[in-house]
Amino acid sequence: MGRWEPGARERLVMAAVDLFTEQGYDATTVTQIAERAGVTKSTFFRHFPDKRELLVAGQETLSRLLTEGIAEAPAHASPLEAVAAGLERASGAMGPVSRELAPRLKAAVAASAELQERDALKSVSLAAAMTAALVARGVPDATAALAGELGVLAFKRGYGRWSEGARDGTDELAGFTLAALDELRAASASLG
């Protein structure tokens, strides 16, 4: 096993998700994950403090991309237009590996209460990051919070549809997340 093989982090995530799906989260050990990924246990711990953190791999990057997109939206952009800019920025960073991983990750999360809790905390964190970015643009707190929550919901809905679609690689995640945001915008307008 090579200590510093390229792609070790990605291989660890893929191995963990596969093992969580095959045998359950609780029954999967760090040693098994490392072995499946072809790395040492110490390499695992260089990338992740524990197996729970595998599911939020990339969360910091996702938060950063969302907030950068919001911050860089034109000054005249509405809160939802700024969220759309964040979604577009973050979605652009998701490629074939993310799409391949999505159905397996969904199955693993569905099978474990602990992973469901971790996934919910991830959503809360993403909404908080978008809300803070909107407040920094001068958006009132309540409006920023609502727009941030809609942004998370749009991302999750768009990501789900994208990951379940054809694997021909011609459709980008951004189109799905932006379409989901448009649907949510229309739905919220109908609330009256």
Side-chain angles (χ1 to χ4, degrees):
M1 284 187 253
R3 277 184 48 178
W4 296 103
E5 290 182 54
R9 184 177 178 85
E10 293 80 11
R11 287 196 323 275
L12 284 163
V13 171
M14 295 289 253
V17 169
D18 285 345
L19 286 165
F20 294 163
T21 302
E22 291 168 15
Q23 61 190 32
Y25 174 79
D26 291 331
T28 301
T29 67
V30 168
T31 301
Q32 291 171 324
I33 295 168
E35 286 175 1
R36 173 80 61 101
V39 299
T40 64
K41 193 172 171 181
S42 61
T43 297
F44 176 96
F45 287 115
R46 268 196 287 282
H47 291 282
F48 303 100
D50 58 46
K51 69 181 182 178
R52 282 181 315 208
E53 295 303 310
L54 286 158
L55 285 188
V56 292
Q59 180 177 344
E60 289 176 19
T61 301
L62 182 58
S63 287
R64 179 181 50 79
L65 292 170
L66 287 165
T67 59
E68 285 174 358
I70 290 169
E72 294 169 4
H76 65 278
S78 72
L80 284 181
E81 289 169 341
V83 166
L87 289 172
E88 194 164 12
R89 177 82 171 262
S91 297
M94 301 272 197
V97 172
S98 297
R99 193 171 200 175
E100 179 185 335
L101 182 63
R104 294 186 287 192
L105 185 57
K106 181 179 178 181
V109 170
S112 168
E114 186 173 348
L115 296 182
Q116 290 169 19
E117 180 181 320
R118 193 70 180 130
D119 190 52
L121 290 172
K122 177 181 175 181
S123 294
V124 169
S125 176
L126 292 174
M130 285 193 277
T131 299
L134 290 164
V135 168
R137 288 176 60 89
V139 175
D141 288 345
T143 304
L146 181 57
E149 291 291 341
L150 285 173
V152 169
L153 187 53
F155 184 81
K156 290 177 88 166
R157 289 171 64 99
Y159 185 77
R161 290 175 183 160
W162 175 70
S163 66
E164 293 167 2
R167 299 281 189 265
D168 61 10
T170 59
D171 50 351
E172 299 291 325
L173 174 57
F176 288 86
T177 59
L178 295 176
L181 184 61
D182 286 343
E183 288 173 13
L184 293 169
R185 183 183 325 210
S188 63
S190 73
L191 293 175

